[in-house]
Amino acid sequence: MASVCALRNQLFLFLLLWLYTLSSSQAAHHQHYSEFRYPFIKKASSFSSSLSSSGGGDHTYDYIVVGGGTAGCPLAATLSQKFNVLLLERGGMPFGNANISLLENFHITLTDTSSTSASQYFISTDGVLNSRARVLGGGTCINAGFYTRASTRFINKVGWDLKLVNNSYSWVEKQIVHRPKVAPWQVVVRDSLLDLGVSPFNGFTYDHIYGTKFGGTIFDRFGRRHTAAELLASADPHKLTVLVHATVQKVLFDTSGKRPKAAGVLFKDENGNQHRAFLSNSRSEVILSCGAIGTPQMLLLSGVGPKAELEEMKISVILNNKFVGQGMADNPLNTVFVPSKKAVKQSLIQTVGITKMGVYIEASSGFGQSKDSIQCHHGMLSAEIGQLSTIPPKQRTPEAIQAYIRRKKDIPHEAFRGGFILEKISNPISTGKLKLNNTNVEDNPSVTFNYFKHPHDLQRCVDGIRMATKMVQSEHFTNFTQCDKQTTDKILNMSVLANVNLIPKHTNDTKSLEQFCKDTVLSIWHYHGGCHVGKVVDREHKVLGVHRLRIVDGSVFDESPGTNPQATILMMGRYMGLKILRDRLGKAAGV
């Protein structure tokens, strides 16, 4: 018997050694593969001191793209086909990071609040938690992966060339987009939506069409995420330089002429050393692709914005523009928790109901309760999103958050079994603003979205919650979850009692759907605005009042495109890159 146990122990040790060797070799292979495929990606500290002078054409660039995110990566890859491009990203590499790459680890990056996290959380003044990407690939590294195009109405409204738009979408889709393996939870959502009249069923499609459909995803059939960073493989490796851990401090301007013109950027490497990169000629540009939070922040730090706010921060005023940071909007999200008596397979967003009342219905299910995730203090739509909702603003300290995390470890895992119906209103009328808290680019600015300030937004939320509760009460859900049909009050109470944001709750007032909307509002990271067309940029996205500065990201939008903006922002990077090449080179662009 003892020899059998010894043999078992030896086999167990051999298995552990084999698994360790396999994982190590895979990690090494992945690293070498990334270096082979993206030889132009380097740490910011590799930018030698000789590159910091404004002389010499060898170390200047035709285009400097600030922000290697959802729009910045396809933009830089496209521009590099004809010009020398420098892409600067404040975060690190996504490759080899399991919390980015694996669907099963989806929410763990969102809950990582360390300074090296790929996700930088921020809390709007409304008390709603949110996240900004801080990694090469941007929001495509931390989002739920859903891929769906904008409506034709949106494309016409912004004045884009439809043929070039479709070609740009296709360019993205061929490289990183997949058809999902539809989870059982998502099928139940589809069936209940159709029963409620959100029809027809449009099957699998990228298009934005009224009714119910399955959309695309950037997760492949093995649950691996494919991000905007992979689009850099389409770049000319001899014309593109990508620096990670390169935190741009501000845009540098030449103010000697009648109108300021961008001359380059000042950035800091991972060791804290400062560098300058410059544009090569009069047709060169700095292009900001820092996202809807980062781009207005970068303009303000660079001296472009409301004069009084800049002077208050002791920032030299390059251009007085009162509209920078104005018109910030976020599509308010509310969820209904659906408990289940049986285990539910994990799924992120796959099904969407596009209604005619300005409401989108989506769903997620089956989040894990791993040893890591149970300690997380916020994430996307799982019980792990618990927050200090009943604590007054002045008492929301880091210590209070840590105390909450410690208490949450005692919650039984069974409490997390089930899924969510997501209700999001489209095109909110309510807007807010962004302003600086300080002059440190690494700190979040102050952001206000004013959720439900306009009564029409609140009414649409009420309509959406009514629809969501009817879905939960349908036979499709009760048969699937093996739970009895619950009253609307009981369904909503389960969500109200979950601490999902920092807004004080009215737990005894679930009969008022308006109060429920206000108490449980969340973000699904579809914030936009702050640099609107006609106010901060022109229709070509060039910054008004200055030369050689352009913006390519969601900060120029006054509505979030489609049910989810990811596809359109990816497309936008490719589209604007092609348009810049064509405008500058004509037929010689060859693209």
Side-chain angles (χ1 to χ4, degrees), residues 6 55 65 153 158-159 172 176 229 338 466 469 485 491 501 556 585:
V65 179
R153 177 196 62 79
V158 297
V172 172
I176 63 170
V338 188
R466 284 196 178 114
T469 55
K485 183 176 179 179
I491 292 169
N501 55 39
V556 303
L585 300 176

Side-chain angles (χ1 to χ4, degrees), residues 324-336:
V324 174
Q326 297 293 325
M328 296 296 299
D330 190 16
N331 298 67
L333 177 80
N334 294 82
T335 70
V336 174

Side-chain angles (χ1 to χ4, degrees), residues 88-354:
L88 299 170
E89 167 53 45
R90 68 188 183 128
M93 296 273 277
F95 310 115
N97 184 333
N99 289 341
I100 290 173
S101 301
L102 302 181
L103 184 148
E104 64 193 43
N105 293 343
F106 161 67
H107 66 284
I108 296 178
T109 291
L110 290 170
T111 63
D112 179 2
T113 58
S114 69
S115 60
T116 58
S117 173
S119 173
Q120 180 180 2
Y121 88 99
F122 69 96
I123 305 171
S124 68
T125 63
D126 315 277
V128 174
L129 284 118
N130 219 315
S131 294
R132 305 169 59 189
R134 182 169 51 193
V135 61
L136 187 67
T140 63
C141 296
I142 66 172
N143 66 16
F146 193 62
Y147 182 97
T148 179
R149 295 183 176 192
S151 65
T152 304
R153 177 196 62 79
F154 178 89
I155 301 302
N156 291 334
K157 175 185 171 184
V158 297
W160 288 343
D161 180 301
L162 185 58
K163 182 179 179 181
L164 189 59
V165 163
N166 288 334
N167 288 341
S168 299
Y169 273 127
S170 296
W171 181 84
V172 172
E173 289 154 10
K174 287 174 184 175
Q175 298 182 73
I176 63 170
V177 186
H178 302 266
R179 183 168 181 160
K181 182 180 179 181
V182 180
W185 187 270
Q186 303 290 332
V187 173
V188 174
V189 172
R190 176 200 66 185
D191 293 343
S192 58
L193 279 168
L194 293 174
D195 273 4
L196 288 175
V198 186
S199 58
F201 177 55
N202 294 306
F204 169 78
T205 179
Y206 296 142
D207 293 337
H208 186 94
I209 314 170
Y210 287 121
T212 297
K213 72 167 191 173
F214 298 134
T217 178
I218 57 173
F219 287 100
D220 64 23
R221 61 194 179 95
F222 302 108
R224 292 185 305 230
R225 183 192 294 270
H226 296 268
T227 76
E230 294 178 33
L231 299 175
L232 294 171
S234 297
D236 183 334
H238 304 293
K239 286 187 167 66
L240 177 63
T241 300
V242 179
L243 298 181
V244 293
H245 302 297
T247 305
V248 175
Q249 311 290 298
K250 63 179 179 178
V251 178
L252 301 172
F253 288 96
D254 177 354
T255 57
S256 60
K258 290 182 178 180
R259 178 179 289 190
K261 57 186 177 184
V265 297
L266 174 69
F267 69 93
K268 183 172 66 174
D269 66 25
E270 71 274 15
N271 299 321
N273 296 318
Q274 300 273 12
H275 304 273
R276 296 185 182 204
F278 291 93
L279 296 175
S280 59
N281 59 65
S282 61
R283 300 195 69 182
S284 300
E285 292 180 335
V286 173
I287 305 177
L288 301 182
S289 293
C290 313
I293 304 300
T295 288
Q297 180 187 26
M298 185 60 62
L299 283 180
L300 292 168
L301 290 172
S302 304
V304 178
K307 182 179 179 181
E309 291 183 24
L310 297 176
E311 289 178 341
E312 183 182 349
M313 290 288 164
K314 295 181 171 54
I315 297 172
S316 298
V317 179
I318 299 295
L319 179 73
N320 177 22
N321 185 328
K322 65 180 181 181
F323 296 112
V324 174
Q326 297 293 325
M328 296 296 299
D330 190 16
N331 298 67
L333 177 80
N334 294 82
T335 70
V336 174
F337 178 59
V338 188
S340 175
K341 287 186 177 179
K342 64 179 183 181
V344 178
K345 181 181 177 181
Q346 182 183 16
S347 71
L348 300 179
I349 298 165
Q350 296 175 338
T351 305
V352 61
I354 301 173

Side-chain angles (χ1 to χ4, degrees), residues 6-19:
L7 181 61
R8 282 178 179 170
N9 288 337
Q10 287 176 355
L11 286 171
F12 180 68
L13 289 171
F14 174 78
L15 179 62
L16 284 178
L17 180 62
W18 178 76
L19 288 171

Side-chain angles (χ1 to χ4, degrees), residues 374 383 404 407-416:
I374 201 69
Y404 181 81
R407 290 196 303 273
K408 205 167 75 63
K409 293 177 189 177
D410 299 327
I411 300 174
H413 290 188
E414 291 75 19
F416 303 136

